[in-house]
Amino acid sequence: MRHVITYGTFDLLHYGHIELLKRAKALGDYLIVALSADEFNALKGKKAYFSYEDRKRMLEAIRYVDMVIPENNWEQKPHDIDRYDVDVFVMGDDWTGKFDEILGDKCEIVYLARTPEISTTQIKTDLTGKTNSGK
Ligand code: C2G
């Protein structure tokens, strides 16, 4: 069983997220999503529209997702790789290179091209006409 893991906030779930999860799952047999907790989002300078529980429920309804765990801090990734016997760590390419040092010797690392024309920030901007920092 080839385990894949990916991390993120996945707020206002959109097809860019789905495309990432679909391609991540295709790299193995079992996909774990480490979902940013509300408190960790604050550390990332993000305030998700949906709570952790609501974002978790939506992710668990996606056919590509096998398990959702909380992402509470930046440091947990190596522990998660060990704990869940992860073979492949996947992130969108806005993170290219960021995790090579801490995870390079633990598992395969794959950065997938982001879906260019959509983002949670863009959705918020389009709906409210306001811009804000972050993705
Ligand atoms: N993504 C994508 N295409 C988009 C938008 C997002 O492929 N149009 C990908 C991102 O590259 C990321 C995942 O979907 O791999 C989740 O995106 P976010 O929720 O914005 O995650 P982020 O805030 O980058 O959190 O420890 C890592 C962080 O928790 C990552």
Side-chain angles (χ1 to χ4, degrees), residues 7-10 14 16-17 20 36 44 46 71 74 77 91-92 94-95 114-115 118 135:
Y7 292 72
T9 300
F10 295 96
H14 55 67
H17 296 135
L20 187 282
S36 306
K44 292 200 286 186
K46 282 187 164 187
E71 178 186 29
W74 292 111
K77 292 184 179 69
M91 289 301 293
D94 47 320
W95 291 92
R114 279 174 68 95
T115 303
I118 179 105
K135 281 178 222 159

Side-chain angles (χ1 to χ4, degrees), residues 87-98:
D87 302 284
V88 192
F89 167 87
V90 178
M91 289 301 293
D93 63 5
D94 47 320
W95 291 92
T96 297
K98 297 285 190 309

Side-chain angles (χ1 to χ4, degrees), residues 1-113:
M1 180 88 96
R2 199 163 144 82
H3 293 156
V4 183
I5 197 167
T6 191
Y7 292 72
T9 300
F10 295 96
D11 192 28
L12 298 185
L13 201 62
H14 55 67
Y15 62 86
H17 296 135
I18 303 300
E19 282 304 308
L20 187 282
L21 295 169
K22 180 177 182 180
R23 288 175 292 159
K25 178 60 177 285
L27 294 169
D29 312 288
Y30 192 90
L31 176 59
I32 300 162
V33 178
L35 180 63
S36 306
D38 295 330
E39 299 76 7
F40 181 53
N41 273 326
L43 286 181
K44 292 200 286 186
K46 282 187 164 187
K47 175 149 180 30
Y49 177 80
F50 288 115
S51 69
Y52 173 81
E53 284 309 320
D54 287 339
R55 288 180 285 122
K56 180 172 187 280
R57 260 184 323 153
M58 286 187 253
L59 281 175
E60 285 174 338
I62 298 170
R63 69 177 68 176
Y64 309 117
V65 176
D66 295 290
M67 180 164 70
V68 178
I69 62 171
E71 178 186 29
N72 295 305
N73 56 65
W74 292 111
E75 295 73 31
Q76 71 182 75
K77 292 184 179 69
H79 308 293
D80 294 343
I81 302 299
D82 293 339
R83 180 174 178 191
Y84 296 101
D85 189 24
V86 169
D87 302 284
V88 192
F89 167 87
V90 178
M91 289 301 293
D93 63 5
D94 47 320
W95 291 92
T96 297
K98 297 285 190 309
F99 304 106
D100 295 4
E101 199 172 319
I102 60 165
L103 299 180
D105 60 346
K106 297 188 79 65
C107 63
E108 202 180 321
I109 298 177
V110 176
Y111 297 107
L112 297 170

